[in-house]
Amino acid sequence: MTELFEVRQALEGQAARLAARRRDVSVFVGLQRQFQDVEALLADKHRYYELVGELDATIDHAVGNPTLVATLNGVRTHVTRIRRLAQDDPARLRDAAQEHVQIIDAIVDGEESLAAHATQLHLHRSLRYILKSLERNVP
């Protein structure tokens, strides 16, 4: 799992960096608005996960690199399976939503390094949460 996240961090960090460079600001500003009211968004987890998928797709489109996106999608397939192993935790979801806002803000501002670092932080915290969740569930 850690190895998979190492690959994910490299790919998604670069994707965020390229998205900040090549973005259509208006598209990301629209996402920024949708993420503004985190509490309301988290009241409907299905909508939250849809919006996260929309963020991923928007970053993928902005990247302009089909090879990077195809490789990242291969990694995401495995990550989806791992996510199902971890339990939903309202505090983690709230933190993750705030982390997504930081990523979007950096992309909107065209801050390539900040977008990559915000993505790295989000993935680091996600992996840490998943590993702790799995430890708690091991008899």
Side-chain angles (χ1 to χ4, degrees), residues 25-44 46-56 58 97-98 100-101 104-105 108:
V25 173
S26 65
V27 173
F28 283 96
V29 167
L31 280 172
Q32 207 174 29
R33 284 190 203 111
Q34 292 182 67
F35 271 95
Q36 274 181 344
D37 189 352
V38 171
E39 293 304 320
L41 183 59
L42 293 177
D44 181 356
H46 179 71
R47 176 65 188 130
Y48 170 70
Y49 287 120
E50 280 182 350
L51 193 55
V52 170
E54 188 177 329
L55 172 59
D56 287 343
T58 303
Q98 291 296 342
H100 286 119
V101 169
I104 295 166
D105 289 349
V108 166

Side-chain angles (χ1 to χ4, degrees), residues 62-77:
V63 163
N65 182 327
T67 303
L68 176 67
V69 172
T71 305
L72 187 50
N73 283 334
V75 172
R76 285 181 184 145
T77 299

